[in-house]
């Protein structure tokens, strides 16, 4: 069993805090590690799934959005502030959309201590509530703080809140896309299942620690998981994830004989979730802003050595595409365009949103990177999901292990070694009067940059290599040096044959029979 611990209780009631420390040391002298967590996840997988109750106290449940926002953690009560440690933890209050509590513990050399909800840790603003009657309510999640941008102030570094979602920041960045622990049947199944982290263990950092470790227990109707997060702040904050996932053997319903669990159609490893409303490849006339998105493309480094770039879109209906490969070198949802003039949004600051690059730490075997693009009516909806789907799933009770690093990148970010797409614009330029265009004719103008192209003279014989599937016909593909920017520009004209169906395009630059750029791979949406 775990001792209970509240940050405010340690300061206000030292006698109780001392008793908690002594109880923790006696109850759990062995400590806590990833193997301990793995045993918990394996045992949980062998038990029927039990949903966590989400019923809030009546006076808390009636609070609206602005009222819940008025409940704030007291910064002076931050975990580890009194010890002046390099990291601090603060906690989120339950309410409105966050109704399922998570348990949070601290791991210390003396053992594990449960961090108990205490009303004294929160400022309730103008709300007329009675928190003293709520008991150990639990928390909605937590955030970690660190001196990321200044030695005088501890900024937010990473947040864990909602299902298995988390998101982090590097220096000078602003929150954008999120990562998740696991995605189940985002596409391909009878409906998406959202696993959730039900319990966390925060490892108390050393006085000179450069990183912090968080453990999490994941649970859902069809899977459980043990997760370790090693978080290292910096210009590119990195989150190294070690995960062991177990599939459940049955659904736990009180029916005899026990009914086998519904098979998982799509198990998504290292899922990323983002937002794309419109951009240079899909402009919106009625908005003064040129682009609105947290990410502008999916980048993949395949195990076969090819680099792919797929510009994101906001489709009218759900669009699922995938890229099959063996042992991928990495993939990520990237925000390549980092110029303020591309967004013109003083509040959202989309140019500061991080890119996230997933780098496997071992061979992942055969599988596919899958991209799910949903329709978004506005910028408050996340509509982009990308993840790795292993070709084979383990038997129930057998671990599925994946280790990878998430890099939260700003202006300096992962690039292909040769050259890459800088922008991808759709639209026709000047068309002389009387010139005939084909039905469903589409033009793209692509700009490429990178060391492989910068090394070539302006008159180099660079070729545009353009291809399509059977639902499009390539009319023209040209490549030429741009004397203004020093980049290389490609123009692509295609005819969308059956406009009510999607069509796939591929293009790259070639010089001396060798590819000198990544491959631009794009979907013409049904119209």
């Amino acid at each position: 069993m775990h001792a209970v611990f509240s940050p405010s209780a340690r300061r206000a009631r030292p006698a109780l805090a001392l008793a908690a420390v002594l109880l923790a040391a006696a109850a759990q002298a062995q400590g806590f590690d990833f193997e301990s967590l793995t045993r918990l996840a394996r045992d949980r997988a062998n038990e029927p799934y039990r949903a966590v109750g989400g019923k809030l106290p009546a006076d808390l449940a009636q609070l609206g959005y602005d009222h819940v926002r008025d409940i704030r953690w007291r910064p002076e009560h931050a975990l580890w502030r009194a010890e002046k440690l390099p990291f601090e933890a603060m906690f989120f209050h339950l309410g409105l959309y966050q109704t399922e509590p998570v348990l949070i513990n601290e791991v210390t050399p003396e053992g594990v201590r449960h961090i108990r909800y205490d009303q004294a840790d929160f400022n309730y603003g103008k709300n007329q509530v009675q928190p003293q009657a709520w008991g150990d309510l639990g928390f909605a999640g937590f955030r970690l703080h660190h001196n990321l941008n200044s030695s005088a102030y501890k900024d937010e570094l990473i947040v864990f809140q909602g299902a298995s979602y988390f998101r982090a920041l590097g220096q000078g960045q602003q929150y954008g896309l999120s990562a998740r622990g696991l995605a189940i049947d985002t596409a391909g199944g009878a409906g998406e299942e959202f696993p959730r982290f039900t319990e966390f263990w925060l490892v108390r950092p050393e006085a000179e620690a450069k990183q912090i470790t968080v453990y999490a227990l994941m649970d859902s109707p069809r899977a459980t998981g043990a997760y370790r997060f090693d978080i290292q702040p910096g210009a590119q904050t990195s989150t190294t994830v070690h995960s062991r996932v177990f599939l459940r053997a049955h659904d736990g319903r009180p029916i005899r004989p026990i009914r086998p669990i519904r098979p998982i159609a799509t198990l998504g490893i290292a899922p990323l979730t983002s937002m794309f409303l419109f951009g240079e490849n899909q402009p919106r006339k009625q908005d003064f802003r040129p682009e609105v998105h947290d990410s502008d493309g999916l980048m993949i480094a395949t195990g076969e050595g090819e680099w792919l770039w797929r510009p994101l879109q906001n489709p009218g209906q759900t669009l699922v595409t995938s890229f099959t490969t063996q042992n991928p070198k990495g993939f990520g949802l990237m925000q390549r365009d980092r110029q303020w003039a591309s967004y013109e949004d003083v509040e959202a600051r989309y140019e500061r949103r991080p890119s996230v690059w997933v780098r496997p730490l071992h061979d992942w075997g055969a599988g596919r990177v899958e991209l799910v693009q949903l329709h978004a009516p506005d910028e408050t909806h996340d509509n982009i999901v990308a993840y790795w789907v292993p070709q084979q799933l383990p038997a129930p009770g057998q671990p599925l292990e994946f280790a990878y690093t998430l890099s939260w990148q700003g202006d300096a970010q992962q690039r292909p070694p040769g050259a890459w797409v800088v922008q991808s614009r759709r639209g026709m330029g000047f068309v002389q009067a009387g010139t005939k265009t084909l039905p469903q004719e589409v033009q793209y103008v692509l700009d490429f940059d990178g060391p492989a192209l910068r090394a070539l003279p302006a008159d180099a014989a660079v070729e545009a290599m353009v291809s399509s599937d059977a639902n499009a016909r390539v009319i023209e593909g040209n490549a030429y040096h741009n004397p203004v920017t020093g980049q290389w520009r490609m123009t692509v004209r295609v005819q969308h044959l059956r406009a009510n169906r999607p069509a796939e395009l591929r293009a790259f630059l070639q010089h001396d029979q060798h590819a000198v750029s990544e491959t631009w791979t794009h979907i013409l949406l049904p119209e």
Side-chain angles (χ1 to χ4, degrees), residues 458-471:
D459 60 353
V462 176
E463 299 177 88
M465 309 302 294
V466 185
S467 60
S468 68
D469 65 10
N471 195 30

Side-chain angles (χ1 to χ4, degrees), residues 35-219:
E35 297 305 321
S36 307
L37 184 59
T38 297
R39 289 191 292 271
L40 286 175
R42 182 185 290 112
D43 292 344
R44 186 71 59 87
N46 291 325
E47 299 173 353
Y49 172 71
R50 296 180 179 86
V52 176
K55 187 175 181 180
L56 299 176
D59 51 347
L60 178 59
Q62 68 182 3
L63 298 182
Y65 178 79
D66 290 332
H67 296 91
V68 172
R69 281 176 56 88
D70 205 24
I71 304 177
R72 302 177 183 275
W73 179 268
R74 298 183 185 274
E76 64 273 18
H77 290 192
L79 182 64
W80 306 318
R81 175 168 291 196
E83 296 89 341
K84 295 182 169 54
L85 297 181
F87 296 88
E88 295 178 357
M90 303 186 196
F91 305 92
F92 294 110
H93 203 285
L94 290 169
L96 195 59
Y97 306 119
Q98 303 293 335
T99 63
E100 297 179 305
V102 297
L103 301 177
I104 302 179
N105 310 283
E106 181 192 16
V107 180
T108 74
E110 293 78 27
V112 175
R113 298 187 286 191
H114 169 59
I115 300 176
R116 182 181 176 87
Y117 167 85
D118 191 325
Q119 60 168 322
D121 292 322
F122 291 93
N123 181 340
Y124 292 87
K126 298 179 181 179
N127 291 303
Q128 301 298 314
V129 292
Q130 302 297 322
Q132 64 273 14
W134 295 346
D136 188 2
L137 191 66
F139 301 102
F142 67 95
R143 61 181 186 260
L144 298 177
H145 293 241
H146 180 72
N147 295 106
L148 187 63
N149 298 297
S150 168
S151 60
Y153 179 78
K154 285 186 170 61
D155 309 277
E156 285 192 34
L157 172 65
I158 190 168
V159 168
F160 289 83
Q161 185 181 30
S164 66
Y165 285 86
F166 61 97
R167 54 183 181 169
L169 294 171
Q171 291 174 0
Q173 298 173 15
Q174 189 165 315
Y175 281 130
L177 78 168
S178 301
R180 281 194 266 170
L182 195 69
I184 296 179
D185 287 354
T186 304
E192 184 165 12
E193 178 175 309
F194 289 90
R196 59 185 301 270
F197 292 136
T198 58
E199 190 166 3
F200 292 95
W201 291 259
L202 315 182
V203 180
R204 180 189 290 182
E206 299 291 336
E208 303 298 325
K210 303 300 183 184
Q211 72 172 35
I212 185 169
T213 296
V214 173
Y215 294 101
L217 177 65
M218 190 202 73
D219 200 7

Side-chain angles (χ1 to χ4, degrees), residues 24 28 50 65 80 91 125 127 242 281 408 414 443 448 451:
Q28 190 157 347
R50 296 180 179 86
Y65 178 79
W80 306 318
F91 305 92
N127 291 303
H242 293 268
N281 61 314
W408 304 79
Q414 180 68 49
Q443 176 175 277
F448 292 82

Side-chain angles (χ1 to χ4, degrees), residues 431-454:
V431 178
Q432 187 174 356
T435 301
K436 292 185 178 181
T437 58
L438 297 171
Q440 290 88 48
E441 182 177 334
V442 179
Q443 176 175 277
Y444 286 94
V445 178
L446 315 176
D447 287 340
F448 292 82
D449 201 0
L453 293 175
R454 293 281 177 171

Side-chain angles (χ1 to χ4, degrees), residues 179-436:
R180 281 194 266 170
L182 195 69
I184 296 179
D185 287 354
T186 304
E192 184 165 12
E193 178 175 309
F194 289 90
R196 59 185 301 270
F197 292 136
T198 58
E199 190 166 3
F200 292 95
W201 291 259
L202 315 182
V203 180
R204 180 189 290 182
E206 299 291 336
E208 303 298 325
K210 303 300 183 184
Q211 72 172 35
I212 185 169
T213 296
V214 173
Y215 294 101
L217 177 65
M218 190 202 73
D219 200 7
S220 78
R222 288 182 286 174
T224 67
Y227 286 77
R228 171 175 171 150
F229 301 91
D230 294 311
I231 305 151
Q232 185 172 10
Q236 293 186 15
T237 291
S238 67
T239 308
T240 299
V241 183
H242 293 268
S243 65
R244 288 175 182 157
V245 174
F246 298 89
L247 304 186
R248 278 193 160 91
H250 58 86
D251 60 14
R253 300 179 191 178
I255 299 175
R256 296 294 183 269
I258 294 177
R259 182 186 305 177
I261 202 164
R262 176 166 52 93
I264 293 176
T266 305
L267 188 70
I269 304 298
L272 304 174
T273 300
S274 192
M275 179 276 293
F276 182 94
L277 190 63
F278 60 89
E280 62 205 14
N281 61 314
Q282 197 179 19
R284 176 176 287 191
K285 295 180 181 179
Q286 64 268 33
D287 200 307
F288 78 92
R289 298 168 295 180
E291 305 178 42
V292 172
H293 50 73
D294 286 335
S295 307
D296 53 12
L298 168 67
M299 183 169 66
I300 303 172
T302 71
E304 294 73 30
E306 186 177 20
W307 288 79
L308 304 173
W309 175 253
R310 168 147 291 179
L312 299 178
Q313 299 184 82
N314 183 3
Q317 58 188 11
T318 301
L319 178 66
V320 182
T321 56
S322 62
F323 303 86
T324 301
T325 185
Q326 181 95 13
N327 297 322
K329 303 305 180 185
F331 70 92
L333 290 176
M334 316 300 286
Q335 184 77 319
R336 280 186 176 176
D337 195 337
R338 310 199 67 78
Q339 302 299 317
W340 184 82
S342 297
Y343 306 98
E344 295 283 345
D345 196 318
V346 176
E347 295 181 0
R349 303 302 301 270
Y350 288 110
E351 78 279 5
R352 292 183 177 178
R353 306 296 172 101
S355 299
V356 175
W357 180 248
V358 181
R359 181 173 62 87
L361 298 180
H362 58 91
D363 288 346
W364 281 11
R368 67 184 188 272
V369 176
E370 190 159 272
L371 174 65
V372 180
Q373 299 180 95
L374 310 170
H375 174 69
D378 56 56
E379 60 207 272
T380 66
H381 291 74
D382 284 344
N383 63 321
I384 305 295
V385 189
Y387 44 77
W388 171 255
V389 182
Q391 183 171 292
Q392 292 185 331
L393 296 182
Q398 298 300 313
L400 181 67
E401 298 197 38
F402 283 91
Y404 51 92
T405 294
L406 304 174
S407 297
W408 304 79
Q409 303 175 344
D411 293 344
Q413 55 182 261
Q414 180 68 49
R415 304 284 193 188
W420 51 88
V421 177
V422 176
Q423 62 177 350
S424 172
R425 294 186 175 274
R426 175 174 174 166
M428 305 293 290
F430 171 74
V431 178
Q432 187 174 356
T435 301
K436 292 185 178 181

